[in-house]
Amino acid sequence: MTGRHVLVTGATGYVGGRLAPRLVEAGHTVRVLARDPGRLRDAAWADAVEIVRGDLEAPADVQRVMEGIDVVYHLVHAMGAGGDFAKAELVQARHVAAAAKAAGVQRIVYLSGLHPEGEHLSKHLASRVAVGDVLLASGVPTIVLEAGIVIGSGSASFEMIRHLTDVLPYMPAPRWVRNFVQPIAVRDVLHYLVEAASVPGDVHGTFDIGGPDVLRYGQVMNGYAVEAGLPQRPIAPLPVLTPWLASQWVNLVTPVPRAIAIPLIGSLLHDCVVEERRIDAVIPPPEGGLTGYRRAVRLALARERSGDIESSWRSASAAGAPSDPLPTDPRWSGTTVFEDARERTTSASPAAVWAVVESIGGARGWYSVPLLWSLRGLADRLVGGVGLRRGRRDPDRLREGDTVDWWRVERIDRGRLLRLRAEMKVPGRAWIEFEVTPEGDGAHYRQRAIFLPSGLTGRLYWWSLVPAHHVIFEAMASRLVGVAEASERSSRG
């Protein structure tokens, strides 16, 4: 059955960002709910869907967005969010369940996690089970798909496996490294999700999904090593490495921050394998069969190397990071504002300067004192922040919502303005803004670092960094403009 009216929540996330365009390709009319529609503005599929601003914690928003919908995909998870994420997930699920029932929705689809029955679950897995139970009790036919480790370019699980294996020639590991897991390729997860829209209305319940390979977690890491052309790593289980300590280790040596590493590690404390294959009678496997683990790794690596990453775990905001935009005029409202502004006039064209601005961060760095940036990134990781390892989705092009190391793109007016909002741990709120305008035969470059301090601690933080800021931001402005000028000279031959 095609031509359904479909709602996707969580379309700015890893799975939702891939599902929405595939539902369009399958012939469905797709609506997505987003708290910040600007984050979807540059998505390749944005013009093919209806984007509605709304918040799942506001019942009126949820009721409004359900009007005329046949199938709801609930893909919002709060892994890595601060506060009581389990309570927030339950509230959102109850709003979705009630609104779907009232609107006459014919099907709810939810992606949960594989877990053993009858065992004490991590808070993360227990929350997913509880959300599934709320949706199953909604009175609307519901399919809950339970998946284990999802392997694909940009997935948090894959990033953790990849960086742990790349960085460490020898892997000290907790005892549960010998637990069994059943990875599934993201392409197969999407197959089941897309096909769920067309399942007959009498199908209702929970279904396990997983790839064809059941592996110990140590085999998962060494399977990656083989595909990446690395020697297999010796692994020694250590009984003293608790989940909390393991998550700190993951936080330090991978881009995955502690707030996400903790639930990921928690989900590995048990054997997480497919215990029933009832899904085969409801949704047959993809044509050609399910993707094996090694092939899934191979495909993910190819995407990573080409830079063609469709969506990423980085889309999720960092735990506790401010999400409010830069106030229009904070001084007018009495807010204390600290600012470091630098300007340059250059012979380089606005296009040449903008090209350097839009490619800042990630592998190209910040054009000033790399050691100081590295030390600040390390300090942020040590206190549970995101540090510098998140990098960026695309080396040349940015869109709203993208991460750039410890920053997130808050606003981009391509060719003119880029504003990044800090997601590092600071006693206040911080932004850095780049503006490029034409001037004569060249361009005018303006750079602002803006900080709204929180209390005395925030003020002391800024004042203590004034000397370092002078060095860092002065060098950044000069070096960035110099790179633009050199690039233009080179292109002219």
Side-chain angles (χ1 to χ4, degrees), residues 50-196:
E50 178 190 3
I51 302 174
V52 177
R53 181 187 298 274
D55 190 335
L56 288 177
E57 296 194 28
D61 287 357
V62 184
Q63 292 163 12
R64 174 171 48 87
V65 81
M66 289 283 180
E67 294 176 5
I69 292 297
D70 301 315
V71 180
V72 173
Y73 285 89
H74 185 53
L75 300 175
V76 172
H77 297 300
M79 183 173 73
D84 191 346
F85 73 86
K87 180 180 179 181
E89 288 188 342
L90 271 182
V91 168
Q92 293 167 0
R94 287 170 183 149
H95 291 166
V96 169
K101 178 65 174 176
V105 168
Q106 300 166 27
R107 163 76 59 208
I108 297 174
V109 183
Y110 175 63
L111 182 62
S112 186
L114 272 180
H115 61 278
E117 296 294 337
E119 293 193 33
H120 179 73
L121 301 178
S122 68
K123 186 176 181 181
H124 164 61
L125 273 178
S127 177
R128 292 205 172 184
V129 172
V131 167
D133 289 343
V134 168
L135 298 176
L136 288 164
S138 65
V140 178
T142 298
I143 291 177
V144 175
L145 299 172
E146 297 188 337
I149 298 173
V150 177
I151 302 299
S153 58
S155 82
S157 298
F158 178 70
E159 291 277 326
M160 186 171 78
I161 293 164
R162 180 165 77 96
H163 283 86
L164 281 174
T165 312
D166 283 349
V167 170
L168 303 174
Y170 168 83
M171 294 185 192
R175 185 178 298 163
W176 41 262
V177 79
R178 299 190 61 78
N179 287 351
F180 286 100
V181 293
Q182 194 161 352
I184 183 169
V186 68
R187 57 173 49 200
D188 293 338
V189 172
L190 293 168
H191 164 77
Y192 287 116
L193 287 170
V194 171
E195 292 301 317

Side-chain angles (χ1 to χ4, degrees), residues 431-449:
W431 292 262
I432 188 166
E433 187 175 84
F434 307 89
E435 188 174 6
V436 181
T437 54
E439 184 164 312
D441 294 330
H444 184 77
Y445 168 79
R446 184 169 184 250
Q447 164 191 303
R448 289 196 304 156

Side-chain angles (χ1 to χ4, degrees), residues 238-315:
L238 300 176
V240 296
L241 196 56
T242 66
W244 186 86
L245 286 173
S247 66
Q248 311 312 306
W249 182 239
V250 169
N251 173 62
L252 285 175
V253 303
T254 82
V256 180
R258 186 164 62 202
I260 292 179
I262 288 173
L264 283 178
I265 295 296
S267 65
L268 300 175
L269 298 179
H270 318 281
D271 291 340
C272 288
V273 298
V274 171
E275 296 180 351
E276 45 82 14
R277 277 285 185 184
R278 294 184 300 111
I279 191 65
D280 292 342
V282 177
I283 301 174
E287 186 177 348
L290 293 164
T291 308
Y293 172 68
R294 292 267 298 274
R295 180 164 180 259
V297 169
R298 205 175 310 135
L299 292 169
L301 283 172
R303 289 272 191 174
E304 297 256 351
R305 288 164 178 162
S306 69
D308 184 20
I309 301 175
E310 195 174 344
S311 64
S312 171
W313 63 270
R314 293 170 172 84
S315 301

Side-chain angles (χ1 to χ4, degrees), residues 4 21 35 204 264 276 339 389 449 459:
R4 315 299 300 277
R35 282 185 299 177
H204 179 81
L264 283 178
E276 45 82 14
E339 183 175 307
R389 288 202 181 94
R459 289 160 172 78

